[in-house]
Amino acid sequence: TLLLLTSCQEKGAKKAIQEAPRLRYVEDIAPNEEIDNPNFNTCNGENVFQYFNFGDGLEYEGGKRAILEKFKNQYEVPKRSKFSGLIRVRFIINCNGNSGRFRHLSMDYNYKDVEAPENITGQLVSITKSLDKWKIKKYNDSPIDYYQYLSFKIESGIIVKILP
């Protein structure tokens, strides 16, 4: 009986694995109808280049300075915020320079997952979504879709550093 039970459990596990969406790399961003803008589309299906495929650095009109200025002008430090840690916002830039599929994760300074307050993550994602001057990247002279990210070092609710 134990052998049969183990066999059924293994078949169930294999079925669950087969039904999960197949991602090429860890942290590929699969579309999610519940949270993604329905008007955002990639141009090359799920063939999205990872940011490590290029050595170009941040590809934004005005460079990092323009991004820093946007956050400086728009981010409001939450009153009495005690959150300190790292928050990464990851997203896709499509072949037209439009951004979508925003995801965020937060961790403490020991790189342990933590739940950052919505009044911080919501602002970071919202301001990141408003960045609209992403450069179009090409591979073999064809425009491509690519991943981009911004990482924020937060101390007591204050942005002290933005990477990359």
Side-chain angles (χ1 to χ4, degrees):
T1 316
L2 183 58
L3 180 60
L4 179 60
L5 181 58
T6 304
S7 177
C8 289
Q9 287 177 337
E10 286 178 11
K11 285 182 184 176
K14 286 180 184 176
K15 184 177 180 186
I17 290 170
Q18 290 170 351
E19 290 174 0
R22 177 100 167 100
L23 302 175
R24 296 175 314 135
Y25 297 104
V26 172
E27 295 195 25
D28 271 356
I29 303 173
N32 182 331
E33 292 177 4
E34 294 179 21
I35 59 174
D36 292 333
N37 178 346
N39 298 318
F40 176 79
N41 292 304
T42 55
C43 303
N44 301 301
E46 294 308 308
N47 187 25
V48 180
F49 282 75
Q50 297 289 332
Y51 51 84
F52 54 75
N53 291 128
F54 305 97
D56 304 332
L58 197 60
E59 294 280 332
Y60 191 78
E61 187 178 312
K64 187 173 179 180
R65 183 173 304 197
I67 292 172
L68 294 173
E69 193 66 28
K70 189 110 169 174
F71 279 91
K72 179 182 172 186
N73 293 332
Q74 294 185 12
Y75 181 78
E76 294 181 21
V77 177
K79 291 183 171 85
R80 298 180 297 279
S81 178
K82 294 180 181 173
F83 177 80
S84 293
L86 305 167
I87 299 173
R88 185 183 71 194
V89 178
R90 193 160 183 266
F91 50 100
I92 296 173
I93 308 298
N94 70 15
C95 68
N96 299 312
N98 300 318
S99 57
R101 292 195 203 167
F102 295 85
R103 306 291 187 268
H104 74 276
L105 65 86
S106 50
M107 61 193 86
D108 64 19
Y109 289 135
N110 294 315
Y111 303 106
K112 292 184 181 173
D113 290 342
V114 295
E115 188 75 29
E118 162 59 29
N119 60 0
I120 294 175
T121 59
Q123 285 191 79
L124 297 179
V125 171
S126 179
I127 297 167
T128 302
K129 284 180 178 182
S130 76
L131 297 171
D132 60 358
K133 297 179 181 170
W134 294 102
K135 293 183 179 178
I136 295 171
K137 288 191 182 197
K138 293 185 177 185
Y139 180 74
N140 291 335
D141 294 323
S142 295
I144 60 165
D145 307 310
Y146 64 96
Y147 284 102
Q148 185 60 62
Y149 73 94
L150 295 175
S151 292
F152 303 87
K153 182 178 180 182
I154 308 289
E155 290 182 7
S156 299
I158 300 167
I159 299 173
V160 296
K161 190 161 194 144
I162 300 176
L163 301 167

